[in-house]
Amino acid sequence: MIDYESLLEFEESLRSTAVTGSAILLATLETKIEMLRFINSSAKENVATELIVPEAQFEEADLEKLFDDYKFTEDEFTTCTKCGMSLTNPELYRSCCKAYIERKSSVRSKLEISYWLSLINSPTTTINTLPNYTEFLCLQQGIPSQLRPIIWQKLSLLNNADIPQSTRLVYKNFQHSYSAEVSKQINKDLNRTFPTVHFFREEATIKGLSTILNVYANYDVELGYCQGLLFLVGILFYQFKGDCELTLHALITVMESEPQLHDIFTTSTMSDTLNTWHREFLYILQNVDEDLYTHLTSFVELQAFLFQWWLSFISSHSPDLSIVNRVMDFCMLQGWKTGLFKISLGLLISNKPILMSLQKGDEEVIYQHLLNESKWGNVINDLDLFFGDLLLSWDEAVFLDQQQIVAESDDDVSLESNTIIDKFKHISINLRSLTNASLHSASSSSSSSSVRERADSTGQAMNQSSTSVFSHHHSNSNNSRNNEIESLYSDYSEASEGKSLTDYLKLPYSSKKTPVSEVTPEASNIQELKTENEVLRELLKKAYAQIDDKSPERQSLREEILEAIE
């Protein structure tokens, strides 16, 4: 039984004492709702929230079973919060490890039990109604390891009971004509991401991840594949217990709900978008800590480490795998761009004493420090303090861009209308691009897969069909570090050869794909396009039926949808 009254009372007490608001959390939720409302072909439930939810389908007994069935020894991403030791080997447990397991083996608070039941049964209602308690439990304390798989699933599906039919169709129909260049790069990278985790060395895991990434590359031909995606897809696949379709849906949801995140992994837009993010991040850093901003920008090129952080979801070179879980928790609720910005800002501020003590001439020391696990420093001793108190302490207005602020206005109907149409156009463009790529891929060209290919003297980057974010170009590639996660900016010695580090940040542009198998007959491709267009037509019909407002803007939108259907 969920105690809604107590939950609301506690929420009010948290709201009254909160240093900042929860606008970012609610804006991120609204973005997901808008996207899923109009692209989920199997959505039968209304994702709009209500204050009172139906009687819970997920009972307290089900919650208890999740805790009873969970095994700390089988979760390679859970570590002791005090010593950072893996909990997979009981024989190595220290007293702090045993105390941690005892403390985390159950939920003792009735109020907390009510919250988790409410979130699992109605995510949108719960987050909208209890935003401060959501941040308190999910971000400040971190989602319990026992509940993380189902909570992430709910955050990906929201109020839908199952994976949308549109995702199932993509997963089923896009397993063909894989790009040879993309597949080669994927297979090469599969052994590099989280190499110390046994799960990622299993044959079933490698096959599943390969399928997901190849299918997504076929589905999103504009992005294709970029190695940094493996950090996201890998941890999603791990938490979703090897569910390929659910992982693919979560990946699609992340990329389509945040176009700018999508663009930093797309070769044709990567450079411009990363540079835009860099400028925006510097503005935020200046507003939050002007002394640190002034000091760093006077002699350090922040792109050298910021780009690697963002392209790896700040999961590369983590001294404690539980950090990866907390990064994903934070970004799922705060939004991926905002989350990456806040965590990056938090890392710089946590390292401020070290950074402020270094001067011009110490650039290499800073790059070495911030591109390795040492950047986490003492943060790993208190992740709750970092992800909760520090990252949630800043004025949210600094992180909310103008579009988000406008989107929160109930009066801006035209923006909502344009967003709907843009999403349908985006789906249509993807379908057309896929068909064109399948019909004409015989003329595609291959090129280097490394993102470290430099621009020539005219400033033009070499083309490539897939993007490798963490490739070395050392000649001694067979040394003992060959199995470690590689870094985009790990070669610092070249910086002393008279070249600026920005010379090594120029990014490639995409080229066409080379099919690994023969192109399917034209008739077959046309039939596949018809199938996908039928799905799109059904989505348009559902959207048309839901728009019953008689305002001129809505009527105009209905006419556009009707024209597209006909």
Side-chain angles (χ1 to χ4, degrees):
M1 182 68 180
I2 301 176
D3 187 352
Y4 293 108
E5 183 176 353
S6 297
L7 285 173
L8 292 172
E9 288 179 357
F10 191 64
E11 171 66 21
E12 178 59 25
S13 67
L14 289 174
R15 186 196 64 78
S16 62
T17 58
V19 177
T20 61
S22 53
I24 292 176
L25 176 74
L26 296 177
T28 301
L29 175 64
E30 186 61 27
T31 299
K32 291 182 181 179
I33 291 175
E34 286 300 313
M35 189 198 71
L36 293 175
R37 176 180 292 158
F38 295 105
I39 72 171
N40 278 346
S41 61
S42 64
K44 298 181 180 179
E45 299 178 25
N46 184 2
V47 295
T49 59
E50 299 175 1
L51 182 61
I52 303 299
V53 298
E55 185 176 352
Q57 300 172 350
F58 195 89
E59 303 288 350
E60 187 172 347
D62 300 315
L63 196 67
E64 292 176 355
K65 189 175 188 304
L66 287 178
F67 278 84
D68 291 340
D69 292 345
Y70 174 82
K71 306 296 182 185
F72 284 95
T73 55
E74 297 176 2
D75 190 346
E76 296 179 82
F77 277 82
T78 297
T79 58
C80 175
T81 55
K82 185 172 183 179
C83 68
M85 180 181 292
S86 170
L87 301 175
T88 56
N89 188 353
E91 295 181 357
L92 300 178
Y93 285 177
R94 302 174 182 175
S95 58
C96 58
C97 301
K98 296 176 181 179
Y100 171 80
I101 291 176
E102 173 65 24
R103 188 171 65 255
K104 297 293 185 179
S105 292
S106 63
V107 178
R108 296 179 174 86
S109 167
K110 290 294 183 181
L111 188 65
E112 189 174 338
I113 290 174
S114 288
Y115 173 83
W116 294 124
L117 291 176
S118 178
L119 182 64
I120 291 172
N121 285 297
S122 186
T124 57
T125 298
T126 304
I127 296 174
N128 260 313
T129 310
L130 309 169
N132 290 286
Y133 198 20
T134 297
E135 290 188 338
F136 177 75
L137 285 182
C138 297
L139 302 183
Q140 290 184 278
Q141 296 188 9
I143 299 173
S145 299
Q146 297 90 335
L147 303 182
R148 186 168 278 113
I150 191 170
I151 298 300
W152 282 13
Q153 177 179 336
K154 293 297 180 177
L155 292 176
S156 298
L157 297 173
L158 291 184
N159 286 1
N160 296 319
D162 201 0
I163 301 169
Q165 184 63 20
S166 56
T167 300
R168 296 190 185 278
L169 286 173
V170 168
Y171 184 76
K172 178 181 179 181
N173 296 329
F174 284 61
Q175 293 186 43
H176 60 82
S177 301
Y178 292 157
S179 162
E181 179 68 20
V182 169
S183 295
K184 179 181 178 181
Q185 186 62 49
I186 290 172
N187 291 335
K188 180 181 178 181
D189 295 338
L190 285 173
N191 294 321
R192 296 178 178 177
T193 306
F194 305 121
T196 61
V197 179
H198 176 74
F199 174 80
F200 293 101
R201 299 197 299 269
E202 296 177 357
E203 183 178 352
T205 300
I206 294 173
K207 181 179 179 181
L209 289 174
S210 176
T211 300
I212 294 167
L213 292 168
N214 276 290
V215 166
Y216 185 79
N218 261 356
Y219 166 74
D220 186 351
V221 293
E222 181 185 18
L223 189 157
Y225 167 73
C226 181
Q227 186 186 11
L229 291 178
L230 257 172
F231 287 98
L232 172 63
V233 176
I235 187 60
L236 289 172
F237 194 62
Y238 179 87
Q239 294 293 352
F240 292 154
K241 313 300 182 185
D243 189 324
C244 292
E245 290 184 344
L246 181 56
T247 303
L248 176 65
H249 173 71
L251 174 61
I252 292 174
T253 300
V254 169
M255 289 299 161
E256 294 192 355
S257 63
E258 295 203 29
Q260 287 193 36
L261 182 73
H262 175 276
D263 288 347
I264 72 168
F265 291 99
T266 304
T267 52
S268 61
T269 57
M270 181 185 286
S271 181
D272 288 342
T273 309
L274 282 172
N275 286 327
T276 299
W277 280 30
H278 175 248
R279 290 192 298 272
E280 293 174 352
F281 182 81
L282 288 182
Y283 171 80
I284 294 173
L285 176 60
Q286 185 178 20
N287 275 269
V288 173
D289 195 322
E290 189 167 2
D291 290 342
L292 183 59
Y293 163 83
T294 302
H295 179 70
L296 285 180
T297 55
S298 66
F299 69 103
V300 174
E301 297 187 50
L302 276 69
Q303 305 100 312
F305 51 86
L306 287 177
F307 286 8
Q308 190 253 32
W309 289 359
W310 297 336
L311 288 168
S312 67
F313 295 92
I314 317 183
S315 297
S316 174
H317 300 291
S318 297
D320 187 331
L321 287 174
S322 60
I323 289 175
V324 180
N325 283 332
R326 298 297 294 269
V327 167
M328 298 299 169
D329 289 346
F330 197 89
C331 290
M332 283 187 182
L333 287 165
Q334 287 272 302
W336 294 90
K337 179 182 177 181
T338 301
L340 293 176
F341 274 21
K342 283 192 172 185
I343 297 170
S344 299
L345 182 61
L347 284 173
L348 291 181
I349 290 178
S350 297
N351 283 279
K352 183 176 178 178
I354 297 174
L355 298 175
M356 294 296 288
S357 68
L358 299 172
Q359 304 296 330
K360 188 174 182 179
D362 297 326
E363 295 90 339
E364 184 174 339
V365 176
I366 291 179
Y367 301 141
Q368 289 278 11
H369 176 69
L370 294 179
L371 282 169
N372 289 289
E373 63 181 40
S374 58
K375 64 180 176 287
W376 290 100
N378 291 328
V379 169
I380 60 175
N381 296 327
D382 197 338
L383 294 180
D384 293 350
L385 178 65
F386 179 78
F387 285 97
D389 296 347
L390 178 60
L391 301 192
L392 297 177
S393 65
W394 303 308
D395 184 2
E396 293 199 323
V398 179
F399 297 90
L400 286 170
D401 60 33
Q402 185 177 3
Q403 182 179 0
Q404 286 175 309
I405 295 173
V406 172
E408 290 172 6
S409 173
D410 294 332
D411 299 329
D412 197 335
V413 179
S414 61
L415 178 61
E416 179 184 356
S417 301
N418 291 334
T419 301
I420 298 168
I421 289 297
D422 288 343
K423 291 188 183 301
F424 284 126
K425 287 180 179 177
H426 177 69
I427 296 173
S428 179
I429 289 171
N430 277 345
L431 293 174
R432 289 198 301 270
S433 299
L434 175 68
T435 303
N436 291 336
S438 298
L439 292 174
H440 303 292
S441 57
S443 63
S444 62
S445 60
S446 62
S447 59
S448 171
S449 60
S450 173
V451 76
R452 301 190 68 178
E453 293 289 349
R454 302 167 191 161
D456 59 19
S457 59
T458 63
Q460 295 177 337
M462 297 187 67
N463 291 339
Q464 63 182 27
S465 59
S466 62
T467 307
S468 175
V469 184
F470 310 106
S471 297
H472 284 294
H473 59 269
H474 284 305
S475 59
N476 57 338
S477 58
N478 293 324
N479 59 24
S480 60
R481 292 178 57 84
N482 202 34
N483 291 327
E484 296 182 7
I485 304 171
E486 296 183 350
S487 169
L488 175 60
Y489 309 111
S490 58
D491 300 339
Y492 305 102
S493 59
E494 293 176 315
S496 62
E497 297 175 3
K499 296 181 180 179
S500 168
L501 280 177
T502 52
D503 292 337
Y504 305 109
L505 302 181
K506 295 178 180 178
L507 301 166
Y509 293 88
S510 62
S511 66
K512 297 178 182 179
K513 294 184 176 182
T514 303
V516 73
S517 59
E518 293 186 1
V519 179
T520 56
E522 182 174 345
S524 174
N525 286 293
I526 293 175
Q527 182 58 44
E528 289 176 3
L529 179 60
K530 288 181 178 179
T531 300
E532 301 298 338
N533 282 338
E534 284 301 317
V535 174
L536 179 58
R537 185 183 296 273
E538 290 302 315
L539 291 173
L540 287 167
K541 288 179 179 179
K542 289 186 177 183
Y544 181 85
Q546 291 182 20
I547 302 175
D548 53 4
D549 195 327
K550 302 301 182 182
S551 65
E553 293 86 356
R554 296 298 179 91
Q555 285 299 312
S556 175
L557 177 59
R558 284 170 63 91
E559 291 174 4
E560 288 187 60
I561 294 178
L562 186 60
E563 181 180 351
I565 294 175
E566 294 176 346

